[in-house]
Amino acid sequence: MFRQRVIHLLIIFMILLTQPGCWSSKEIEDLSVITGLALDKGEPRTLEREFEERGGSYPKHNKLTATVQIVPERTIGNSGKEGEKTKTHFYNISETGDSLLEIFRQFSIRKNRPIIGHHLKVIVISEDLVQKAKIRQLMDFVLRDNDIRPSCLIFLSQELASDSLMTTEEEIPSFRLVEMVRNNFRTSKVMKGITLSNLDALMYSKQSFVLQNVIEAQGEIKFSGAGIIKGDTGHWIGNLDQNDVESIAWIKGDIRGGSLKAYDQSNDSITYEIKSVKSKITLKETDDKKISFHVAIESTGRLIEDWNVDAHSSDVDYFKELEKIFEEKLTQQINALINKMQSTYKVDVAGFGDWFSIKKPHVWKQIKDHWDEEFTRIPVTFDLKLKITDFGTTSD
């Protein structure tokens, strides 16, 4: 009996020795957690210039200004005072230089706690900066750093990227941006989030692509269209508006929800609420080897709003009339996008290249490095069918 107890104790002791533990852990109260990163063209802030005038400078070129959003330790626990409401707090700090890692290390000689990027949620890059530097250069450090998660979301800013990390409300702006992306089940004007891992694949393939644009006014932020990154140069070349972002989603069939507004013969607004969307891209080839794309889009939805109160919205013929109006509206919208891609910016950001590479892999290997140029010469046709399946709960 005694021998069995000794054996049991030895087994328990050996199990405890083999269990992993946080031998090198650090208390979160001793760290500065960054949740947002904004990258702007290099313009030292007033505080930086004062430090430099007093000898706080080092050899560098002012190529970019990095702003990190730090969540202090007091946001994680209670305020410590009974009856006092706990608030969310953050503060932003900026530094200018030509190496993102060196900038991060400079924060360590300005603050009493080192910053860590394990919980970085969003990176916002200004269009001005991506005009001067390649996006691959700007993202090189964050792609190499094992601390930064590949699920981090990437955005563009039409103005100062650091402004998108400011808010007048009692919430952390970087968290707010993440939550806003989740609204794409309500509107197709919100893109499916481009993560750091998605961005790495796009840059590696040298495809042109779009990133959601963020704008700021009076302490509030809003998504507004998308910025175009040219694949072969890695630079920003222009913007698409909200309708263009919607049209890309229609072409790809990547719509979880949203609406389509048009105007009837009386110039009254009518709104189609999307219930489902199916899209199929077909690559056609003639006998003389000329190719074209054909996109067939089918959608079902409901007539959710009709300002023509005299119309019989439950009449089948009236439905057919409105379906044609919605189809014409969507056709105009998509054709406007195709014109911008093929004539204005000369890029493919709607996924036609992906489809071509699947259907003609051998040809794709020969033209993939100059696909944008090839795409401008390929005709694109559409066949749209929108069906109104119900008209809500109206008794008309």
Side-chain angles (χ1 to χ4, degrees):
M1 189 72 176
F2 175 76
R3 185 178 179 181
Q4 289 181 342
R5 288 182 179 179
V6 172
I7 292 173
H8 288 161
L9 288 173
L10 287 172
I11 292 173
I12 293 173
F13 180 71
M14 292 180 68
I15 291 174
L16 289 174
L17 285 177
T18 58
Q19 296 304 300
C22 298
W23 302 104
S24 60
S25 65
K26 295 183 180 179
E27 295 296 331
I28 198 166
E29 289 83 359
D30 297 328
L31 300 171
S32 290
V33 179
I34 62 170
T35 58
L37 170 64
L39 301 177
D40 290 293
K41 64 180 181 180
E43 294 181 352
R45 307 298 163 85
T46 303
L47 180 59
E48 290 182 72
R49 290 196 295 267
E50 289 186 13
F51 278 142
E52 290 177 359
E53 290 172 359
R54 302 185 184 192
S57 61
Y58 61 96
K60 62 175 180 174
H61 301 289
N62 292 330
K63 290 187 175 181
L64 78 158
T65 298
T67 302
V68 294
Q69 185 154 95
I70 299 175
V71 181
E73 69 281 357
R74 61 179 176 273
T75 67
I76 298 165
N78 295 325
S79 61
K81 297 181 180 179
E82 292 185 5
E84 183 177 335
K85 184 180 179 180
T86 303
K87 297 180 179 180
T88 56
H89 292 279
F90 67 90
Y91 64 88
N92 298 343
I93 179 173
S94 301
E95 185 78 24
T96 303
D98 52 11
S99 165
L100 201 52
L101 175 60
E102 189 174 36
I103 288 173
F104 280 16
R105 295 298 182 259
Q106 286 293 310
F107 291 141
S108 297
I109 61 177
R110 290 179 58 181
K111 295 297 177 182
N112 63 332
R113 294 184 177 91
I115 63 172
I116 59 169
H118 300 85
H119 300 284
L120 184 63
K121 304 294 184 183
V122 298
I123 299 175
V124 186
I125 311 169
S126 74
E127 293 171 355
D128 285 343
L129 180 61
V130 193
Q131 279 184 288
K132 297 179 180 297
K134 295 182 179 181
I135 193 167
R136 184 80 200 190
Q137 294 173 310
L138 301 173
M139 293 290 99
D140 189 68
F141 165 69
V142 296
L143 286 169
R144 293 174 185 267
D145 188 6
N146 292 329
D147 287 346
I148 297 176
R149 296 177 181 178
S151 59
C152 176
L153 294 173
I154 313 297
F155 301 96
L156 289 179
S157 174
Q158 293 181 348
E159 299 167 345
L160 278 177
S162 58
D163 287 346
S164 62
L165 297 183
M166 297 297 296
T167 181
T168 57
E169 301 181 13
E170 293 182 355
E171 60 180 325
I172 300 173
S174 49
F175 288 0
R176 185 181 184 184
L177 280 169
V178 174
E179 294 297 327
M180 288 170 63
V181 169
R182 295 171 184 168
N183 289 336
N184 70 340
F185 79 99
R186 286 294 190 185
T187 173
S188 48
K189 294 178 180 179
V190 176
M191 291 174 53
K192 184 179 179 181
I194 301 295
T195 64
L196 193 57
S197 58
N198 297 146
L199 182 66
D200 189 25
L202 290 168
M203 292 188 300
Y204 179 79
S205 66
K206 294 185 178 180
Q207 296 181 52
S208 296
F209 58 93
V210 290
L211 293 172
Q212 185 92 62
N213 258 333
V214 183
I215 57 176
E216 182 274 338
Q218 299 184 24
E220 291 195 16
I221 53 177
K222 178 182 179 180
F223 289 152
S224 181
I228 303 172
I229 304 296
K230 178 79 168 161
D232 56 356
T233 66
H235 291 289
W236 172 87
I237 61 169
N239 286 321
L240 299 177
D241 61 28
Q242 296 182 33
N243 286 340
D244 296 326
V245 170
E246 279 189 311
S247 296
I248 292 174
W250 278 98
I251 292 172
K252 292 183 174 182
D254 190 15
I255 293 181
R256 297 174 58 199
S259 61
L260 178 67
K261 186 188 71 174
Y263 296 93
D264 63 15
Q265 303 296 336
S266 302
N267 204 31
D268 289 319
S269 61
I270 51 176
T271 307
Y272 172 87
E273 184 180 18
I274 303 167
K275 294 174 65 177
S276 69
V277 173
K278 292 181 180 179
S279 176
K280 182 179 180 180
I281 300 177
T282 304
L283 183 63
K284 296 185 175 182
E285 186 173 4
T286 61
D287 294 336
D288 56 353
K289 302 299 181 180
K290 291 184 178 180
I291 61 173
S292 63
F293 286 110
H294 181 74
V295 185
I297 299 175
E298 295 182 0
S299 173
T300 62
R302 61 167 57 95
L303 178 64
I304 197 64
E305 189 173 11
D306 186 353
W307 278 51
N308 186 354
V309 294
D310 296 326
H312 297 286
S313 58
S314 60
D315 186 74
V316 175
D317 291 336
Y318 184 63
F319 274 13
K320 297 298 182 183
E321 179 184 341
L322 296 188
E323 286 172 356
K324 290 182 179 180
I325 294 175
F326 286 125
E327 288 171 358
E328 290 174 0
K329 166 65 177 179
L330 184 56
T331 299
Q332 293 172 1
Q333 187 171 305
I334 293 179
N335 280 333
L337 168 69
I338 296 299
N339 182 63
K340 288 181 182 179
M341 288 197 298
Q342 293 191 320
S343 300
T344 305
Y345 299 116
K346 295 179 171 52
V347 293
D348 169 27
V349 292
F352 289 100
D354 295 334
W355 191 257
F356 191 97
S357 66
I358 294 171
K359 293 299 180 180
K360 289 185 172 292
H362 298 296
V363 180
W364 175 253
K365 290 180 180 179
Q366 300 172 11
I367 65 173
K368 64 179 182 179
D369 291 335
H370 50 91
W371 167 247
D372 283 338
E373 182 182 347
E374 292 287 338
F375 175 69
T376 61
R377 296 190 288 266
I378 300 176
V380 182
T381 57
F382 293 90
D383 181 22
L384 307 178
K385 292 182 181 180
L386 275 65
K387 184 175 181 58
I388 299 174
T389 56
D390 67 83
F391 47 88
T393 57
T394 180
S395 59
D396 189 359

